[in-house]
Amino acid sequence: MKLEITLIIAAAAALLNIWLAVRVGRVRTSEKVSVGDGGNELLTRRMRAHANFAEYTPFFLILLALVELAWGASLWLWGAAILFILGRIAHGFGMDGNDKLRAFGTFSTLLVLLGLAIYALVIAYSGASFIGFETTTSVNA
């Protein structure tokens, strides 16, 4: 199985990570701060946006890959993945001081993670397993 959703979204996440790092680097350069935040609030905010992305994205990508591997691609999974990426973009901008974007980013991230976690548990406890394009139910003796 190719895991198309996970591959595309992981690539998008890598690009988003680079974008967040560049935003930190621009403030570092303009403020001449090599290490730490130098007491600069904007730098602190951008560093936290980047760190926050790095904290949540691995869990998201692992859940996305495992759900896609176990159950296959679906519109629901595409929607969740796109919502996560849009939420992380909003959060990045929101950390510059736009509380509505930050709240949307935080809420959408937590919603997607919760949804994927619940979906993963349902798959794990349903007794069904995905094989190719067929779903089979396991029988316990």
Side-chain angles (χ1 to χ4, degrees), residues 32-55:
K32 297 175 178 48
V33 177
S34 177
V35 178
D37 62 19
N40 183 290
E41 184 179 350
L42 180 59
L43 181 54
T44 301
R45 289 172 172 271
R46 289 199 177 172
M47 288 170 58
R48 279 307 309 148
H50 190 215
N52 189 272
F53 180 81
E55 293 160 2

Side-chain angles (χ1 to χ4, degrees), residues 9-132:
I9 297 302
L15 294 173
L16 183 50
N17 189 53
I18 291 167
W19 172 71
L20 290 166
V22 166
R23 286 169 48 87
V24 171
R26 285 183 180 160
V27 177
R28 284 192 181 285
T29 301
S30 70
E31 299 297 319
K32 297 175 178 48
V33 177
S34 177
V35 178
D37 62 19
N40 183 290
E41 184 179 350
L42 180 59
L43 181 54
T44 301
R45 289 172 172 271
R46 289 199 177 172
M47 288 170 58
R48 279 307 309 148
H50 190 215
N52 189 272
F53 180 81
E55 293 160 2
Y56 282 104
T57 303
F59 290 105
F60 163 73
L61 289 174
I62 290 166
L63 280 168
L64 182 68
L66 292 173
V67 168
E68 186 176 11
L69 185 61
W71 208 250
S74 69
L75 285 178
W76 180 88
L77 209 52
W78 272 113
I82 291 167
L83 180 60
F84 179 84
I85 294 297
L86 291 176
R88 295 287 75 203
I89 292 168
H91 185 266
F93 282 123
M95 284 297 287
D96 282 356
N98 185 324
D99 289 339
K100 288 183 181 180
L101 285 176
R102 183 178 178 192
F104 170 76
T106 300
F107 180 74
S108 62
T109 297
L110 296 176
L111 181 68
V112 167
L113 283 173
L114 179 63
L116 286 173
I118 290 170
Y119 197 25
L121 288 171
V122 167
I123 292 169
Y125 287 104
S126 70
S129 60
F130 182 80
I131 302 172

